[in-house]
Amino acid sequence: MFSSWIPSEVEVDEVKVNQVNFDVVLEGLRAKARGIGVSISPTSAAGSFAIAGKSGTLRADGYPDFSIDNFNLRTGEERLYLDHAAMRFYRTAKVQLSGEASLGEPSRILINGVLSGRELSEVLPPDWVKKFKGSVLGEFKLSTEAGGDGELVTTGDLRLSNGSLEAMPVLKRIDTFAGTTRFRKLNFSSVDVEFEKRAGQLVLEEV
């Protein structure tokens, strides 16, 4: 009697989930996302979906904990495209991300990022906070090396700006040698440095 009321096909334009938890497990990257609100809708490409998200946290091995502001993803054939992501970590640092990941075997990751607003006092050991001050800006790239073992490598350029060095033993020795106190505190407008992080090791170059 009621069979004619039951649809043979249902078309869904959008699915919203107030809070979702999931893990990301790729070669070179393991991450946990918690408490994220998402909206999923199909795109014009067959089998592709757009995923918009906001709020929640992201924890990845070897990196600080991130608070998510928002992000936009697209799925493709064995690919995941990150059109944009805005996140925060520590108290003042902000990061903007974009990139893509292949989900086949082996998986590959390429993510570009821009870092801003990070104060050195948030990441330095307590005995260095009064000695080294300034803020950090920069650009970086996270990638798995092509043809390698899937290791995730982070490279980039950082700029330390509006900072100072003081109470350093080497500066005190310069003062003693020069017979002055002018080197007790050394101010700088900017210092550029290249860096590479792999296998838990951070290497600074071209300072």
Side-chain angles (χ1 to χ4, degrees), residues 120-134:
L120 288 174
S121 60
E122 297 179 351
V123 295
L124 292 175
D127 57 336
W128 275 84
V129 170
K130 293 183 179 181
K131 298 177 182 178
F132 199 4
K133 299 178 181 179

Side-chain angles (χ1 to χ4, degrees), residues 42-48:
T43 69
S44 57
S48 176

Side-chain angles (χ1 to χ4, degrees), residues 109-206:
I109 301 170
L110 175 59
I111 298 176
N112 297 303
V114 177
L115 171 68
S116 64
R118 183 172 179 175
E119 293 295 328
L120 288 174
S121 60
E122 297 179 351
V123 295
L124 292 175
D127 57 336
W128 275 84
V129 170
K130 293 183 179 181
K131 298 177 182 178
F132 199 4
K133 299 178 181 179
S135 58
V136 184
L137 306 172
E139 298 182 357
F140 60 91
K141 178 174 69 174
L142 291 82
S143 65
T144 50
E145 297 178 306
D149 57 3
E151 178 185 4
L152 187 64
V153 178
T154 307
T155 58
D157 302 290
L158 296 177
R159 169 165 291 184
L160 310 180
S161 59
N162 302 319
S164 65
L165 281 170
E166 59 182 302
M168 300 284 290
V170 64
L171 299 179
K172 292 180 180 179
R173 285 197 290 270
I174 294 174
D175 268 349
T176 301
F177 178 79
T180 180
T181 59
R182 61 184 297 188
F183 296 106
R184 296 263 173 105
K185 181 177 181 180
L186 183 62
N187 296 314
F188 60 85
S189 58
S190 67
V191 174
D192 295 321
V193 59
E194 295 180 4
F195 74 94
E196 178 182 277
K197 180 182 179 182
R198 69 168 70 213
Q201 300 272 332
L202 179 63
V203 178
L204 302 180
E205 302 174 338
E206 303 293 331

Side-chain angles (χ1 to χ4, degrees), residues 11-15 40-45 47-50:
E11 183 174 317
V12 179
D13 292 328
E14 183 179 26
V15 174
I40 305 171
S41 56
T43 69
S44 57
S48 176
F49 294 88

Side-chain angles (χ1 to χ4, degrees), residues 79-131:
R79 284 190 174 273
L80 190 63
Y81 300 95
L82 177 61
D83 293 326
H84 172 78
M87 300 187 293
R88 293 170 286 112
F89 61 105
Y90 299 125
R91 288 187 298 108
T92 61
K94 298 179 181 179
V95 63
Q96 308 282 331
L97 301 174
S98 62
E100 62 180 79
S102 63
L103 306 179
E105 294 291 343
S107 59
R108 290 285 183 261
I109 301 170
L110 175 59
I111 298 176
N112 297 303
V114 177
L115 171 68
S116 64
R118 183 172 179 175
E119 293 295 328
L120 288 174
S121 60
E122 297 179 351
V123 295
L124 292 175
D127 57 336
W128 275 84
V129 170
K130 293 183 179 181
K131 298 177 182 178

Side-chain angles (χ1 to χ4, degrees), residues 2-9:
F2 297 104
S3 59
S4 61
W5 295 6
I6 301 175
S8 59
E9 182 177 333

Side-chain angles (χ1 to χ4, degrees), residues 24 28-33 57-66 87 142 152 197:
V24 178
L29 176 64
R30 291 180 177 271
K32 294 182 178 182
T57 60
L58 178 66
R59 294 182 176 180
D61 293 346
Y63 296 89
D65 293 348
F66 294 94
M87 300 187 293
L142 291 82
L152 187 64
K197 180 182 179 182

